[in-house]
Amino acid sequence: METALFDYLLPQHLIAQEAIEPRDAARLMVVPLPSGRPLHQQVKDLPSLLRRGDLVVLNHTKVFPARLAARKPTGGEVEVLLIHREESAEAGERWRALVRGRVRVGTALAIGDEVATVRELHQDGSRSLAFSERCDVLALSERVGRVPLPPYIARPDRPQDRQRYQTIFADSPGSVAAPTAGLHLTDEVLSQLAASGIDFARVDLAIGPGTFKPVDTPTIEEYRIHAERCSCPAETVAAVQRCRARGGRVIAIGTTSARTLESAAAQPGGFAPYSGWTSLYLHPPQRLAVVDGLLTNFHLPRSSLLMLVSCLVGRERLLDLYAQAIAHDYRFFSYGDAMLLLPDDPAARTPH
């Protein structure tokens, strides 16, 4: 299938630059599956849209202030974006990072009161940085780092972004981008869901900068997606099985929750606990094995996230829904509004 078929034109003014307050005031396009006209509501209405016996799956990853200012021995300044910690035999922590600016292997970069040495340059342009044995890199980032806002938010980060570009349930540091569907959820919404007899389960996928990368091959099948570390614990597998047994629907909050569940299901033995790297790339005509419904933001043209959502709703219908969202002035991308893909019957699937 041609990648160009996942393109659409978005007016610049619909790219959300600020988060809406309160969180659950975001608009919500409710899309019945496998067919039906969408409804226009708000995220605060979610408890009335789900039903007793459903299971909501949340990605508990936490965004850390991964953008760091660094200085070379020459005095020149560069910017470091930490991606993930690497396995290393060295005494100190070693991190994969993107560096904006020219640095060679062996260059020592001053970051706050610490020093990181460039150990390796990789084919994808990233670098491996070695920190001293006494350096706690996550603690360093909390002291001197900045929030890694997406490239389409055309403003510097602000102190309030540390709280707002973060879900209220985040407790597992490791992401350089937020699981944006979860940004809309409030304590009140979660409490109302629980009071309505809806269960919760957790997964963890540490989101890397590759999430913003468009599919850049002529066809979607040629693309090789970025790898990210994820975990789906035994308790979540059991919760999904209980949900299935009672006829409930598995509702993933965000594409990262969906990708983690589907990665656990893609193992040779079928759906089971999983912890490790995933390069699972979901696109039409594939169908999802675990996820019935999905709360998700509106995604970039030609993105792998757009293709994942198409597995639930179909490409043509999804692009039509996006056109309707544009006509109704929905706000797009990370700080934007949301869409809820919701089947009445857990077995309902959209033909592609």
Side-chain angles (χ1 to χ4, degrees):
M1 185 180 291
E2 292 183 7
T3 303
L5 293 175
F6 291 85
D7 226 340
Y8 67 91
L9 293 176
L10 179 67
Q12 194 74 14
H13 73 277
L14 294 182
I15 300 176
Q17 300 297 305
E18 307 287 346
I20 196 168
E21 295 294 344
R23 292 172 182 258
D24 58 7
R27 297 173 69 190
L28 181 64
M29 178 183 281
V30 183
V31 180
L33 296 179
S35 61
R37 296 180 61 181
L39 302 175
H40 303 286
Q41 299 189 234
Q42 289 180 292
V43 173
K44 66 181 181 181
D45 301 318
L46 186 62
S48 67
L49 297 167
L50 303 187
R51 62 191 181 214
R52 181 177 296 274
D54 286 343
L55 177 69
V56 166
V57 183
L58 306 167
N59 183 4
H60 280 247
T61 192
K62 185 175 183 179
V63 179
F64 69 104
R67 200 176 296 280
L68 308 175
R71 188 177 298 275
K72 297 189 289 186
T74 60
E77 294 185 350
V78 297
E79 184 179 82
V80 171
L81 178 67
L82 298 174
I83 302 175
H84 61 79
R85 187 172 178 176
E86 296 182 312
E87 298 293 329
S88 173
E90 298 184 55
E93 295 181 31
R94 180 168 163 144
W95 280 72
R96 185 69 66 94
L98 296 175
V99 180
R100 183 179 295 175
R102 290 187 178 182
V103 292
R104 298 178 179 177
V105 172
T107 300
L109 300 173
I111 303 174
D113 55 358
E114 299 287 351
V115 174
T117 303
V118 180
R119 286 281 191 258
E120 192 174 350
L121 172 62
H122 302 280
Q123 285 189 343
D124 63 359
S126 64
R127 291 162 169 81
S128 292
L129 304 182
F131 290 82
S132 68
E133 184 176 357
R134 65 185 176 87
C135 180
D136 180 330
V137 176
L138 286 177
L140 172 66
S141 73
E142 289 292 340
R143 291 199 309 273
V144 304
R146 298 175 63 180
V147 177
L149 290 178
Y152 45 74
I153 294 183
R155 62 169 176 82
D157 65 300
R158 304 186 187 119
Q160 57 264 40
D161 288 311
R162 283 207 177 202
Q163 175 265 336
R164 199 54 185 83
Y165 193 59
Q166 195 81 269
T167 65
I168 64 169
F169 43 83
D171 61 12
S172 179
S175 281
V176 301
T180 55
L183 297 180
H184 303 299
L185 301 183
T186 61
D187 285 324
E188 184 176 2
V189 167
L190 295 176
S191 296
Q192 289 178 3
L193 288 170
S196 299
I198 293 156
D199 286 348
F200 296 92
R202 70 174 290 155
V203 294
D204 187 351
L205 184 142
I207 306 167
T211 191
F212 302 116
K213 187 177 184 293
V215 172
D216 56 4
T217 52
T219 66
I220 64 174
E221 293 82 5
E222 296 173 78
Y223 186 63
R224 295 295 174 264
I225 201 169
H226 54 284
E228 293 170 315
R229 182 171 286 279
C230 70
S231 67
C232 178
E235 296 82 1
T236 296
V237 172
V240 169
Q241 292 167 341
R242 289 194 300 269
C243 178
R244 285 275 182 264
R246 62 179 177 255
R249 300 170 295 184
V250 177
I251 310 298
I253 305 299
T255 56
T256 57
S257 296
R259 190 171 177 223
T260 304
L261 291 169
E262 297 300 322
S263 295
Q267 299 177 86
F271 187 51
Y274 179 76
S275 181
W277 291 94
T278 180
S279 296
L280 183 66
Y281 173 34
L282 295 162
H283 59 77
Q286 298 176 55
R287 300 166 81 177
L288 305 189
V290 179
V291 174
D292 298 308
L294 178 68
L295 178 70
T296 186
N297 280 27
F298 294 91
H299 301 294
L300 280 75
R302 300 193 182 212
S303 66
S304 61
L305 309 181
L306 195 67
M307 295 168 192
L308 185 156
V309 179
S310 297
C311 293
L312 275 174
V313 72
R315 182 194 66 84
E316 291 186 8
R317 187 180 181 205
L318 182 61
L319 291 181
D320 178 67
L321 292 166
Y322 270 49
Q324 293 184 53
I326 292 169
H328 284 83
D329 286 330
Y330 274 71
R331 301 161 73 246
F332 276 58
F333 306 159
S334 293
Y335 272 160
D337 296 315
M339 169 186 286
L340 177 64
L341 303 172
L342 193 62
D344 184 59
D345 177 357
R349 296 292 184 184
T350 299
H352 303 309

